[in-house]
């Protein structure tokens, strides 16, 4: 296939009058008056298929996830791998590796076989990481369940995943027990992971610590049982914001490929540890979500970094974490960016060591970033990532000065096309700056939905995955995501992105939070409706807010309705649950 590269252009981005230089210890900052420049990174063929600008990744085809994570452990065996921000419980890399190997051995001795599904219902504690890596080594498939779920939801996910065993902690035991009571697939009593703070013994359960004892012989289980590199290693559930959740089958090859695609010096802020340096990254994003599991946990363990587990997020706990651990990088979601920007208790001293902040899982605009830069620091680099559970998860990343509104560049060994959704361009591959649905293919794309061939067929177009996201790419190769296809509001036949209106409304100084959906309209088909949370003590005038929006957007994007609510329903990763808004 002949590739056609557009004329290379040079774009200049002023990063607050600072030039950024990458060093072994992260991103070194200089106060200068030079521009940060970058050439076009768009590789476009005659069929309008975009290929990644970066060199292809290799060697992922025959590597297990745990082996990839541990490959360089000999460089930093005595460095801290993980510490719990609540209990202070700490593992060095050597201790973590040995503990995972012992637990993998115990899983096999408990008759948990390669391919069996292990359900973990845990907060962000070190034991979650141990279980995840041990399950990989035992050839099992880890399925992750949100600890906030009800008995009904846990029961449903256990049944959907065909789970054979459940690991939780004492606070969730009653719900877990009620969920497995009539489940014939469960092989073992519930395994309880308690920390040093909570040493509760629950009769009829297995203590995780008993499966990790020092006297357990270690051996590489997966190597001895011939587990395929195409075997499922993780089975998270796709977001339920647009329909029923589905088990996503991600293989060792999928995950190792995506880890290689992510850990590039141009795209990933944290760097590999040395004798004198180690990046510090809080594990704030839930590990039951693919973003936290892959980008925060596995990628940073591979690099030898220090991870700080955050079992439960709170603003007070977050501020204490910033003060105590002085993190060098943050990997978070937009609501936490807003806390950094607007909480008056957070000051420049809290981010003295911070080099990058990566936000993902939901869009974030310039308003919160500008507030952070004006009030806290203009030297921390803000980056956005784009991905989905079905792509292991990263599709694009940027850590090198791309505009903050963009999602950066397509990762290595992958391709993308923008497919038209309107009558005049339906099913056509579109060119730069033309809006359509994002299709992606590469080694990180899922195998399919577990026991759901119909939904798999709906989502896949050959080896291309239809992301369900609306976006476009520029002449420079930058990717912009405008919203979800099913969330797009169609007014008079024109598409309106809820995320765009939400960003406009957030700029109003009376608004604390906002969510936008489309509602039926006899004349226009649909019309936007905003659910708004006013700032404390503020009363919202509907007409005044409508006028505020009308002055900033085209006529067809203007608000039809405004409803004041106490909070905007969101997932654990910050995505607005628009179906919940529809119920309101």
């Amino acid at each position: 296939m002949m590739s056609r590269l557009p004329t290379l252009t040079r774009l200049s981005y002023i990063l607050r009058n600072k030039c950024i230089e990458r060093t072994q210890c992260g991103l070194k900052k200089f106060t200068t008056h030079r521009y940060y420049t970058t050439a076009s990174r768009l590789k476009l063929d005659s069929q309008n298929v975009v290929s990644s600008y970066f060199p292809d990744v290799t060697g992922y085809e025959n590597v297990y996830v745990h082996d990839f994570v541990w490959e360089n452990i000999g460089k930093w065996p005595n460095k801290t791998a993980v510490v719990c921000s609540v209990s202070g419980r700490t593992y060095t890399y050597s201790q973590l590796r040995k503990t995972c190997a012992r637990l993998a051995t115990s899983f096999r001795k408990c008759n948990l076989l390669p391919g069996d599904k292990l359900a973990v219902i845990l907060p962000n504690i070190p034991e979650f990481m141990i279980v995840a890596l041990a399950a990989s080594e035992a050839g099992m498939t880890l399925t992750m369940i949100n600890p906030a779920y009800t008995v009904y939801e846990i029961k449903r996910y256990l049944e959907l995943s065909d789970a054979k065993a459940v690991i939780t902690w004492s606070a969730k035991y009653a719900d877990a027990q009620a969920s497995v009571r009539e489940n014939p697939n469960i092989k073992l009593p519930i395994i309880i992971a308690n920390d040093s703070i909570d040493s509760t013994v629950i009769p009829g359960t297995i203590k995780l610590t008993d499966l990790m004892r020092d006297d357990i012989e270690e051996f590489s289980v997966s190597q001895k049982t011939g587990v395929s590199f195409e075997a499922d290693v993780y089975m998270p559930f796709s977001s339920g914001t647009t329909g029923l959740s589905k088990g996503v089958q991600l293989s060792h090859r999928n995950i190792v490929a995506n880890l290689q695609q992510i850990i590039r010096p141009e795209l990933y802020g944290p760097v590999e540890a040395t004798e004198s340096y180690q990046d510090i990254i809080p594990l704030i994003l839930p590990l039951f979500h693919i973003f936290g599991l892959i980008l925060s946990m596995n990628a940073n363990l591979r690099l030898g970094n220090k991870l700080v587990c955050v079992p439960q997020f709170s603003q007070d706990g977050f501020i204490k974490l910033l003060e105590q651990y002085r993190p060098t990088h943050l990997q978070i979601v937009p609501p936490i960016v807003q806390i950094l920007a607007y909480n008056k208790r957070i000051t420049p001293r809290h981010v003295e060591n911070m080099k990058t902040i990566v936000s993902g899982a939901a869009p974030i605009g310039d308003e919160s970033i500008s507030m952070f830069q004006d009030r806290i620091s203009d030297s921390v680099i803000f980056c956005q990532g784009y991905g989905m559970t079905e792509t292991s998860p990263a599709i694009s990343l940027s850590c090198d000065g791309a505009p903050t509104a963009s999602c950066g560049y397509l990762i290595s060994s992958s391709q993308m096309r923008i497919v038209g959704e309107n009558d005049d361009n339906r099913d056509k591959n579109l060119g730069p700056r033309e809006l359509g649905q994002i299709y992606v293919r590469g080694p990180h794309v899922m195998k399919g939905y577990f026991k759901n061939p119909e939904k798999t067929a709906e989502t896949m177009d050959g080896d291309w995955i239809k992301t369900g996201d609306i976006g476009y790419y520029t002449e420079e190769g930058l990717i912009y995501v405008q919203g979800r296809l099913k969330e797009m509001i169609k007014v008079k036949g024109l598409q309106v992105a809820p995320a765009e209106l939400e960003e406009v409304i957030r700029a109003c100084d009376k608004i604390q939070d906002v969510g936008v959906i489309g509602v039926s309209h006899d004349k226009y088909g649909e019309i936007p409706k905003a659910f708004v949370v006013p700032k404390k003590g503020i009363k919202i005038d509907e007409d005044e807010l409508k006028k505020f929006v009308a002055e900033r957007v085209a006529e067809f994007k203007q608000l039809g309705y405004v409803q004041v609510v106490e909070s905007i329903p969101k997932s654990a990763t910050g995505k607005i649950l628009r179906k919940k808004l529809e119920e309101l």
Side-chain angles (χ1 to χ4, degrees):
M1 182 180 293
M2 296 291 291
S3 64
R4 177 171 56 84
L5 287 178
T7 302
L8 292 181
T9 59
R10 303 288 297 183
L11 291 184
S12 298
Y13 300 106
I14 304 175
L15 292 180
R16 298 284 181 175
N17 294 327
K18 294 183 185 294
C19 181
I20 309 302
E21 177 186 283
R22 179 166 293 278
T23 71
Q24 181 63 31
C25 294
L27 296 171
K28 183 178 179 182
K29 299 178 283 293
F30 301 81
T31 300
T32 72
H33 294 283
R34 291 186 295 154
Y35 293 146
Y36 181 86
T37 60
T38 182
S40 171
R41 287 175 170 172
L42 177 64
K43 290 179 66 176
L44 188 69
D45 70 11
S46 59
Q47 304 299 314
N48 280 341
V49 173
V50 180
S51 296
S52 174
Y53 170 88
F54 301 107
D56 287 346
V57 296
T58 58
Y60 58 84
E61 300 92 344
N62 300 305
V63 182
Y64 297 116
V65 168
H66 59 281
D67 285 337
F68 184 76
V69 168
W70 300 129
E71 184 175 0
N72 297 318
I73 191 175
K75 297 180 182 179
W76 41 73
N78 298 319
K79 285 190 176 295
T80 298
V82 59
V83 57
C84 178
S85 64
V86 175
S87 68
R89 194 163 66 267
T90 301
Y91 289 86
T92 66
Y93 271 89
S94 176
Q95 291 170 334
L96 192 68
R97 176 69 190 98
K98 290 178 180 178
T99 303
C100 291
R102 290 194 292 264
L103 181 57
T105 301
S106 292
F107 283 154
R108 290 305 311 279
K109 289 181 178 178
C110 289
N111 199 33
L112 293 173
L113 304 176
D116 280 353
K117 311 295 191 301
L118 175 65
V120 57
I121 314 170
L122 289 173
N124 283 13
I125 57 176
E127 286 69 27
F128 194 125
M129 303 166 61
I130 293 168
V131 169
L133 288 161
S136 171
E137 190 162 356
M140 300 171 66
T141 303
L142 191 78
T143 187
M144 301 84 76
I145 297 178
N146 187 337
Y149 281 171
T150 64
V151 171
Y152 173 82
E153 290 168 314
I154 294 172
K155 183 175 185 291
R156 179 172 173 272
Y157 281 104
L158 292 177
E159 291 171 350
L160 285 174
S161 63
D162 285 351
K164 304 299 182 185
V166 177
I167 296 180
T168 188
W169 83 115
S170 58
K172 201 65 180 175
Y173 170 72
D175 287 349
Q177 179 63 21
S179 302
V180 304
R181 192 166 290 138
E182 298 177 2
N183 189 327
N185 290 324
I186 303 298
K187 292 182 176 182
L188 298 176
I190 292 173
I191 302 170
I192 299 294
N194 280 348
D195 58 28
S196 57
I197 295 176
D198 182 2
S199 57
T200 305
V201 176
I202 302 175
T205 65
I206 298 173
K207 291 177 63 176
L208 184 65
T209 51
D210 288 342
L211 303 180
M212 305 186 302
R213 297 190 316 273
D214 292 344
D215 61 347
I216 295 173
E217 181 183 358
E218 307 161 22
F219 65 95
S220 182
V221 182
S222 54
Q223 299 278 2
K224 294 179 179 298
T225 53
V227 175
S228 168
F229 300 107
E230 281 292 344
D232 299 345
V233 62
Y234 299 135
M235 195 171 77
F237 283 85
S238 65
S239 173
T241 57
T242 56
L244 295 175
S245 291
K246 304 166 286 292
V248 179
Q249 295 178 274
L250 300 175
S251 69
H252 288 269
R253 285 178 177 171
N254 289 151
I255 300 300
V256 174
N258 203 229
L259 286 168
Q260 288 186 327
Q261 291 166 319
I262 291 166
I263 307 173
R264 295 195 58 84
E266 307 94 333
L267 298 177
Y268 198 63
V271 296
E272 186 174 291
T274 66
E275 289 185 8
S276 59
Y277 182 82
Q278 188 180 31
D279 271 321
I280 302 170
I281 296 94
L283 280 180
I284 296 174
L285 298 171
L287 291 174
F288 64 77
H289 188 272
I290 195 71
F291 187 174
L293 186 69
I294 305 305
L295 272 84
S296 295
M297 188 192 94
N298 281 330
N300 283 299
L301 288 178
R302 161 75 181 189
L303 295 173
N305 292 326
K306 179 179 178 178
L307 297 176
V308 183
C309 283
V310 181
Q312 185 172 4
F313 183 84
S314 69
Q315 291 199 35
D316 288 345
F318 180 52
I319 294 170
K320 182 180 178 181
L321 181 146
L322 294 176
E323 293 172 345
Q324 182 176 354
Y325 292 99
R326 319 297 277 180
T328 56
H329 301 271
L330 284 181
Q331 296 166 349
I332 51 179
V333 289
I336 301 176
V337 176
Q338 292 170 0
I339 292 171
L340 285 165
Y342 295 103
N343 190 310
K344 297 296 177 61
R345 294 168 57 195
I346 296 177
T347 65
R349 70 181 179 86
H350 289 99
V351 299
E352 287 175 342
N353 295 339
M354 203 169 295
K355 301 173 178 66
T356 66
I357 295 177
V358 176
S359 179
I364 184 171
D366 289 336
E367 178 78 14
S368 298
I369 296 173
S370 296
M371 176 62 76
F372 175 89
Q373 290 172 331
D374 292 340
R375 197 179 71 81
I376 304 296
S377 171
D378 64 359
S379 63
V380 178
I381 298 175
F382 270 89
C383 316
Q384 291 208 67
Y386 166 55
M388 59 191 300
T389 303
E390 290 86 343
T391 56
S392 305
I395 292 173
S396 67
L397 288 169
S398 178
C399 272
D400 64 352
T404 52
S406 83
C407 296
Y409 302 98
L410 193 65
I411 58 175
S412 301
S413 297
S414 62
Q415 293 181 306
M416 177 186 71
R417 55 194 175 107
I418 305 296
V419 178
E421 297 290 326
N422 298 326
D423 291 339
D424 59 344
N425 62 16
R426 189 172 301 281
D427 298 329
K428 294 181 181 178
N429 291 346
L430 306 180
R433 300 188 185 275
E434 293 185 285
L435 200 64
Q437 184 179 180
I438 300 171
Y439 284 45
V440 174
R441 71 178 174 188
H444 54 318
V445 172
M446 68 170 184
K447 294 166 58 179
Y449 293 122
F450 183 60
K451 292 188 174 180
N452 201 334
E454 296 82 7
K455 289 296 181 183
T456 301
E458 286 179 20
T459 304
M460 300 300 297
D461 179 10
D463 56 355
W464 293 90
I465 186 166
K466 297 181 277 189
T467 67
D469 292 314
I470 297 294
Y472 64 93
Y473 59 91
T474 69
E475 295 83 355
E476 295 74 43
L478 291 164
I479 298 171
Y480 288 80
V481 179
Q482 298 293 288
R484 290 289 294 167
L485 177 64
K486 292 184 180 180
E487 293 173 356
M488 297 296 278
I489 305 166
K490 206 161 190 179
V491 182
K492 303 179 188 178
L494 299 172
Q495 290 186 330
V496 179
E500 179 186 358
L501 287 178
E502 288 158 2
E503 188 60 25
V504 170
I505 296 169
R506 284 193 188 99
C508 176
D509 58 9
K510 295 183 178 182
I511 301 300
Q512 179 69 36
D513 204 359
V514 58
V516 174
I517 63 170
V519 295
S520 298
H521 190 276
D522 291 340
K523 186 176 180 181
Y524 300 143
E526 285 186 304
I527 196 167
K529 177 176 181 176
F531 294 82
V532 297
V533 179
K535 290 183 178 178
K536 189 174 182 180
I538 299 293
K539 185 176 181 180
I540 299 298
D541 182 279
E542 180 176 349
D543 291 335
E544 182 181 345
L545 184 60
K546 286 182 178 179
K547 182 180 177 182
F548 178 88
V549 174
E551 292 172 349
R552 291 162 173 78
V553 299
E555 183 179 354
F556 73 92
K557 296 181 181 180
Q558 294 175 14
L559 294 178
Y561 307 98
V562 174
Q563 182 174 334
V564 176
V565 294
E566 293 184 356
S567 64
I568 303 299
K570 295 179 181 179
S571 71
T573 55
K575 290 182 181 179
I576 294 174
L577 300 174
R578 301 189 195 277
K579 283 194 172 293
K580 295 287 187 182
L581 290 178
E582 292 171 6
E583 293 171 6
L584 292 176

